[in-house]
Amino acid sequence: MIALLRVAKFVVSLCSLLFIVSFLPGQSVYSQDTASSVNNLPPITVKAYDTENDAGSSITVEWSDPGYWRREGFNGYRLSRKNVASGIEDSLDVLPTGHVLHEDRSVSDDSSYTYTLAVLINGANLTSTSTEVVRSSKQWFDNRLTWVLILGLIICGAVIYFIESAKRGTKLFLRRIAGLEAIDEAVGRATEMGRPILFIAGIQDMDDVQTIAGLTILGSIARTVAEYDTKINMPVCTSLVMTAARETIKHAYVTAGRPDAYNDDMVRYVTNEQFGFVAAVDGIMVRERPAACFLLGAFFAESLIMAETGNSIGAIQVAGTAMPAQLPFFVAACDYTLIGEELFAASAYLSGEPRQLGSLKGADVGKAIAMIVILVGVIATTIASAWNSESMLWIENLLRQMFSTG
Amino acid sequence: MGLIISIIVIGGGLLWILYLSIKGRDVDRRIVYLFVGTTVALAIIFRLEFGEVATPIVKSVFDKIENLPAGSKIVLSYDFDPAMAPEVNPMANAFIRHILEKKHRLYFMSLWATGQSLLSVSLDSVLKPEFPDAKYGVDYCNLGFKAGNEGVLNVVITNLRKMFPSDANGNSLDSLPMFKDVESLKDMDLLISIGGGKPGVKEWVLFAGDPGKVAMAGGSAAVSTPLLYPYWPKQLIGLLGGTKGAAEYEAELIKRYPRFKDKSMPALRMMGPQTMAHVVIIAFIVIGNIAYFRSRKKGEQS
Amino acid sequence: MKHQIPMLILSAVGTLLVVSVFVPSAQHWGEDATLYFDIIAVFAFFLGGGNLIRVHTEKVSHKSAGWIYSVVTLLGFGIMLVTGLFKIGNPNGIAGDLSKSGSYFQLLFQYVMSPLNSTMYALLAFYVASASYRAFRAKNTEATILLVAAFVILLGRTALGVLLTNWIPAQLSVLQIPNLAIWIMNAPNLAGQRAIMIGISLGVISMSLRLLLGIERTYLGGDS
């Protein structure tokens, strides 16, 4: 009996010891039978397909790992490729844990390939079976952008329709934009005071549509300036804007019948450096004390520095930008602010030309679409989440699909 | 002690201005400037500091870097100029410390010409002295500046070598081990842009992170941060906004890695002056409103 | 002719860029067009630099008011240009990285340009204060809401917000000022920003179409 007890005690002690040892680092039971555990796992599955919506020369290889990556000694996956025609095999890459997909961009559209994936565990390679033969090709249309194209065509179609209908003489209503109405008043004030006006077209180059919008307004202002015989001063921070602004002002002076009054020095290049430019503009404001300042274009952190300096010299200020972060600064420091789209509408508004006005009406169609979609989306999402309505969920998913490019 | 002196000086002055406003006197803008200047100066002199706790928007960036497996590839783009540097450079330095501490691979680049020189300062003042074991070309590399704004991103998202055939020192990318498995930005595990202008975080989201389906984080000057909120948390996994964001990140870094406690953490230091300046601005807004209501009352009476 | 050729280039490149978005195999056209713009913009630097030198040289030679500042401008321009172009003092010579520590360009950048730029940027702190003082008045209901939001954001962006409201229990943590500040930025502010952005995007579409169709030509020195 005592011997039996001793044997039982020994067995229990041995089991306890084994249990404790199994938790010691590097001594896990798990690691001891790695090979057998790995062998017990189902084989890794790999598939290869032509990368979608690309310009060709790309094959995507995707695999699902049933758990090899958890094994001790796992060193990654080695991906190999075989050219079917030539039989040449290439080892592509060793990919660490976490990768389940690789885009091979070193293939030719003229060749076919197969891929194999090896799991590297303690130097041993466990190779998957080859994928089916795959060939890359280019796509002529990015399917992810179908809805973008459709919506774009509707909006552009609406713009063109309204331009055409305006050309045929349809009367279009345009709400009053106070900032643009104030331009004549500002230039008139400068004339009365015998002081110049200052125009800043933002700090971006000609590849920014806000700069172009600023220059189109400059055309109207320069014409009024030429008619009133006031001085205009325009420091710029890029050379291309300098050239374009000179052409714009020159044409305005010619149109106003005063080509002799035009001078190239009305537009001066200062520097491309953002705050160097601000320092120069602030200096000009303080020294020359313009009666009116126009800040129309793309502005960044310098917006408030310029606008506050203009405010401190008592100039009447009209600002406009499509940089949402800068709008509050302009609203706080300027007399009139063109908010976002108003900047782009300004040239049409000022010219009063039917074709241009028509383009604004077309953009309104876009706004109507946006409003309807937001409204429907909010209602559908709310109902879908509150009452689990499948039809509403379908609408929600459709809208998500329409407005995502993923 | 410093805090008490600051409160007495600034509080006394503000009470005097409040009294003048109640009497109907207008506050000249130069008085406002004087108060902001004095407040900031006092906070710097007396080294006023306040504790920071990471908000979710900052914490998510920290956690992402923290949880990536060692050896992950992270791009850090210096898209700012010296003007913005005091505000956003602390973010860049905190990222460098965190990324190298976690043994990730760090790829520097810049879309701003001025960014390259500022990056050079970070390399000399943070990376080299604090991580002497980090090897160039293996643990970190500097791709340098490339002109072309978002056009650069448009190209590097599909082909990095087309825009950057060599690094800033003229070494071919193929000669650097850390580019062995990198063909484009799509091969990166995380993209981080630090900036506040254009091109900046927004352009990175639109032309790299989103189309390339690569995780993206950003650091931005406070003034431009509101513009980036629409991209969080989907297109941007997290965002550091201004000095506050940088200070939160620094605080989290120190909390997780106390060895950085003795290192320079400028954002945490700057939060003292910023807090005091905010208090003064709030005080002036209150004074402005008292003066406004008083003048309106007078107007109604007369 | 002077206006027709630029218009033609604009329409062709504009259409190309739109097509390159939808057609994967044409994506590089868009990239190439962007690169060409950059190349042209680089050459245009000469125009700007030339204009700067001419204007300031004239000021110095005529001894116009403030001519001494023009001397400073010309000197600054010349020194930066020469040290950068010839990489003076660069440890790796003319082929090395311009921003290597030790190069004169880097020294000028670090110790002259950086502090000057930061100084200009720092002015924002003062201007934000004076603009806030003027703008945030509780004139009506909307202005009062704006004022309250400004208070929350100002406090929420500092440690003071935490100190003032960290007594609020975790269940009501949304009422803590830093969380309220995040909510304001994320909900009402974001909704407003998105609305403005939608308007801007539609404005850009309308403006771009006017440019592509040649209706808008003012910036080319033509009639709209």
Side-chain angles (χ1 to χ4, degrees):
Chain A
M1 189 65 189
I2 293 169
L4 204 68
L5 272 172
R6 274 185 186 164
V7 170
K9 211 173 165 184
F10 175 75
V11 170
V12 169
S13 306
L14 194 70
C15 288
S16 309
L17 195 70
L18 278 173
F19 183 75
I20 292 163
V21 164
S22 71
F23 281 96
L24 290 178
Q27 296 296 319
S28 71
V29 174
Y30 208 64
S31 67
Q32 280 174 354
D33 63 352
T34 301
S36 60
S37 299
V38 165
N39 289 337
N40 292 339
L41 284 171
I44 202 158
T45 51
V46 188
K47 61 174 178 177
Y49 51 88
D50 173 31
T51 308
E52 290 169 357
N53 302 309
D54 71 342
S57 302
S58 172
I59 291 172
T60 303
V61 186
E62 212 179 305
W63 59 92
S64 66
D65 183 342
Y68 293 96
W69 62 277
R70 279 199 221 105
R71 296 289 177 259
E72 198 169 297
F74 175 84
N75 293 325
Y77 309 98
R78 178 182 289 137
L79 188 64
S80 306
R81 179 186 67 201
K82 186 179 177 184
N83 186 317
V84 175
S86 66
I88 297 171
E89 273 193 56
D90 293 307
S91 177
L92 289 178
D93 214 341
V94 174
L95 301 148
T97 322
H99 280 75
V100 288
L101 190 136
H102 179 77
E103 199 182 327
D104 180 10
R105 287 190 287 267
S106 57
V107 292
S108 162
D109 288 354
D110 303 325
S111 303
S112 301
Y113 303 89
T114 58
Y115 290 84
T116 48
L117 188 85
V119 183
L120 307 175
I121 295 180
N122 287 332
N125 287 1
L126 300 167
T127 310
S128 72
T129 51
S130 286
T131 61
E132 286 181 8
V133 175
V134 62
R135 182 190 282 250
S136 64
S137 65
K138 66 174 77 171
Q139 278 78 49
W140 289 103
F141 182 72
D142 189 338
N143 291 322
R144 295 166 299 181
L145 300 174
T146 309
W147 278 108
V148 175
L149 181 69
I150 293 169
L151 288 168
L153 285 175
I154 292 172
I155 295 169
C156 292
V159 171
I160 292 168
Y161 168 77
F162 280 105
I163 289 173
E164 289 303 317
S165 85
K167 267 161 65 179
R168 285 196 301 271
T170 310
K171 285 250 181 223
L172 300 168
F173 168 77
L174 212 59
R175 72 178 164 86
R176 190 178 159 269
I177 301 176
L180 297 172
E181 298 281 325
I183 287 177
D184 277 354
E185 175 201 337
V187 179
R189 183 172 179 255
T191 314
E192 280 169 18
M193 295 171 84
R195 289 204 210 149
I197 70 156
L198 184 75
F199 190 98
I200 311 290
I203 62 161
Q204 289 290 295
D205 213 331
M206 286 301 287
D207 59 344
D208 194 308
V209 72
Q210 294 182 65
T211 312
I212 297 177
L215 290 185
T216 57
I217 305 173
L218 171 70
S220 300
I221 294 173
R223 206 171 305 150
T224 317
V225 164
E227 282 161 8
Y228 287 17
D229 198 16
T230 314
K231 197 183 157 202
I232 185 168
N233 194 352
M234 184 179 175
V236 295
C237 67
T238 69
S239 310
L240 288 178
V241 176
M242 177 183 80
T243 318
R246 279 180 177 168
E247 285 297 318
T248 307
I249 297 178
K250 195 180 192 174
H251 182 79
Y253 271 73
V254 171
T255 313
R258 306 205 58 238
D260 50 308
Y262 171 76
N263 179 355
D264 263 354
D265 286 345
M266 288 170 173
V267 186
R268 279 185 288 166
Y269 171 80
V270 179
T271 171
N272 277 60
E273 190 55 44
Q274 182 187 18
F275 286 97
F277 181 69
V278 177
V281 171
D282 278 6
I284 291 167
M285 282 181 177
V286 173
R287 281 192 304 274
E288 300 183 7
R289 304 187 81 77
C293 296
F294 294 94
L295 308 167
L296 301 160
F299 290 91
F300 294 86
E302 71 287 348
S303 62
L304 185 65
I305 302 179
M306 286 183 188
E308 269 294 285
T309 311
N311 186 289
S312 72
I313 58 165
I316 183 165
Q317 297 200 101
V318 180
T321 187
M323 308 300 291
Q326 308 307 325
L327 283 168
F329 296 137
F330 279 150
V331 172
C334 298
D335 300 283
Y336 301 96
T337 306
L338 303 178
I339 296 171
E341 60 183 313
E342 291 178 345
L343 176 72
F344 302 113
S347 61
Y349 187 93
L350 290 169
S351 70
E353 211 244 334
R355 288 186 304 169
Q356 295 221 38
L357 294 177
S359 72
L360 299 187
K361 279 283 159 200
D364 285 349
V365 172
K367 260 187 247 173
I369 293 173
M371 282 191 277
I372 293 165
V373 166
I374 290 170
L375 206 65
V376 171
V378 168
I379 293 169
T381 308
T382 310
I383 296 175
S385 61
W387 290 284
N388 218 3
S389 156
E390 278 196 16
S391 54
M392 288 296 146
L393 198 66
W394 181 82
I395 294 174
E396 186 194 337
N397 288 336
L398 176 74
L399 291 177
R400 275 186 201 282
Q401 195 193 338
M402 278 172 77
F403 292 96
S404 76
T405 53
Chain B
M1 186 63 186
L3 184 66
I4 295 166
I5 295 174
S6 304
I7 289 172
I8 292 170
V9 172
I10 300 156
L14 287 170
L15 282 175
W16 174 68
I17 290 173
L18 179 65
Y19 171 74
L20 291 181
S21 295
I22 291 170
K23 286 272 167 198
R25 295 265 294 274
D26 237 6
V27 180
D28 189 88
R29 71 177 70 223
R30 280 165 294 192
I31 302 278
V32 181
Y33 298 157
L34 179 72
F35 267 86
V36 173
T38 312
T39 310
V40 171
L42 284 172
I44 291 170
I45 291 165
F46 294 119
R47 300 181 73 91
L48 298 184
E49 279 188 35
F50 303 93
E52 288 296 331
V53 182
T55 45
I57 195 166
V58 173
K59 186 79 168 40
S60 52
V61 188
F62 187 89
D63 289 344
K64 175 75 184 178
I65 295 175
E66 191 65 24
N67 296 329
L68 277 173
S72 296
K73 289 161 277 186
I74 301 178
V75 170
L76 185 59
S77 187
Y78 273 55
D79 305 324
F80 55 92
D81 61 3
M84 252 182 278
E87 198 179 359
V88 297
N89 210 30
M91 298 173 191
N93 290 343
F95 279 132
I96 291 174
R97 286 183 175 118
H98 193 191
I99 290 167
L100 291 181
E101 183 68 25
K102 291 295 297 179
K103 306 258 183 269
H104 298 314
R105 284 182 273 172
L106 183 52
Y107 302 77
F108 290 106
M109 63 177 281
S110 175
L111 296 177
W112 286 43
T114 44
Q116 194 176 349
S117 295
L118 292 160
L119 166 58
S120 188
V121 176
S122 283
L123 293 179
D124 291 337
S125 62
V126 177
L127 195 149
K128 287 173 188 170
E130 292 183 28
F131 298 92
D133 296 335
K135 281 198 190 98
Y136 188 83
V138 178
D139 302 305
Y140 75 96
C141 70
N142 176 10
L143 289 167
F145 159 72
K146 193 60 71 178
N149 301 333
E150 52 268 40
V152 175
L153 298 175
N154 238 338
V155 179
V156 292
I157 194 62
T158 52
N159 189 343
L160 186 70
R161 284 167 178 80
K162 192 171 173 183
M163 267 291 167
F164 293 99
S166 59
D167 69 357
N169 299 313
N171 305 308
S172 159
L173 294 198
D174 295 324
S175 69
L176 303 173
M178 64 192 291
F179 283 96
K180 196 176 76 68
D181 51 351
V182 175
E183 200 171 317
S184 71
L185 289 191
K186 284 182 189 168
D187 297 317
M188 298 293 168
D189 298 298
L190 178 65
L191 308 174
I192 306 173
S193 165
I194 298 175
K198 191 184 170 194
V201 182
K202 185 182 168 189
E203 283 67 31
W204 270 90
V205 172
L206 297 180
F207 294 93
D210 210 22
K213 303 273 175 284
V214 190
M216 168 96 216
S220 172
V223 69
S224 337
T225 306
L227 200 65
L228 298 170
Y229 275 96
Y231 302 108
W232 179 68
K234 270 193 149 180
Q235 286 111 319
L236 278 174
I237 55 158
L239 180 66
L240 277 64
T243 310
K244 169 92 170 132
E248 287 176 18
Y249 203 93
E250 286 181 351
E252 196 64 21
L253 194 63
I254 292 171
K255 196 170 124 193
R256 182 75 182 77
Y257 301 100
R259 83 171 184 96
F260 290 121
K261 203 170 183 181
D262 304 330
K263 306 291 176 198
S264 163
M265 293 288 170
L268 279 171
R269 276 207 324 274
M270 282 192 282
M271 278 312 287
Q274 179 163 316
T275 303
M276 296 299 282
H278 278 211
V279 172
V280 168
I281 292 173
I282 291 171
F284 271 108
I285 294 174
V286 172
I287 292 169
N289 276 284
I290 290 171
Y292 168 73
F293 281 116
R294 198 174 159 76
S295 67
R296 203 167 73 168
K297 207 174 172 187
K298 269 189 178 173
E300 280 168 7
Q301 279 168 359
S302 62
Chain C
M1 202 64 174
K2 192 182 157 194
H3 294 143
Q4 277 154 350
I5 290 175
M7 277 310 311
L8 206 67
I9 295 172
L10 187 143
S11 299
V13 176
T15 312
L16 199 82
L17 285 170
V18 173
V19 170
S20 75
V21 173
F22 296 100
V23 180
S25 50
Q27 262 167 12
H28 69 278
W29 297 350
E31 292 162 14
D32 292 344
T34 318
L35 288 178
Y36 292 146
F37 174 82
D38 292 331
I39 293 165
I40 294 166
V42 167
F43 280 104
F45 270 123
F46 292 108
L47 281 174
N51 179 257
L52 184 92
I53 294 171
R54 191 181 61 74
V55 168
H56 289 279
T57 313
E58 268 177 21
K59 261 185 129 177
V60 175
S61 62
H62 294 143
K63 293 259 168 80
S64 313
W67 65 273
I68 194 76
Y69 302 116
S70 294
V71 175
V72 176
T73 306
L74 289 170
L75 274 176
F77 180 78
I79 291 168
M80 282 304 270
L81 187 73
V82 171
T83 52
L85 213 55
F86 300 106
K87 298 188 177 176
I88 297 171
N90 197 330
N92 294 350
I94 197 87
D97 174 14
L98 187 67
S99 58
K100 263 268 180 289
S101 52
S103 83
Y104 289 0
F105 183 85
Q106 178 67 7
L107 287 175
L108 283 168
F109 181 85
Q110 201 174 336
Y111 297 110
V112 180
M113 204 169 139
S114 288
L116 286 174
N117 264 292
S118 302
T119 307
M120 281 309 295
Y121 188 59
L123 284 179
L124 257 181
F126 298 94
Y127 289 145
V128 163
S130 62
S132 310
Y133 171 65
R134 250 196 350 265
F136 291 121
R137 300 276 160 95
K139 291 175 186 168
N140 48 41
T141 317
E142 291 92 335
T144 311
I145 294 169
L146 187 71
L147 181 69
V148 173
F151 264 62
V152 174
I153 300 286
L154 278 167
L155 287 171
R157 300 298 294 169
T158 62
L160 208 64
V162 182
L163 289 174
L164 285 174
T165 51
N166 62 357
W167 55 268
I168 295 177
Q171 295 93 324
L172 295 170
S173 64
V174 73
L175 296 174
Q176 288 173 352
I177 287 178
N179 292 335
L180 265 182
I182 291 178
W183 179 80
I184 289 173
M185 297 300 276
N186 258 337
N189 168 67
L190 190 58
Q193 294 255 13
R194 280 188 171 149
I196 292 176
M197 277 198 241
I198 290 170
I200 288 170
S201 308
L202 291 166
V204 169
I205 291 175
S206 147
M207 178 91 189
S208 304
L209 270 177
R210 289 206 299 270
L211 293 168
L212 286 176
L213 299 173
I215 297 171
E216 176 60 78
R217 281 174 297 179
T218 320
Y219 68 100
L220 287 172
D223 282 318
S224 56

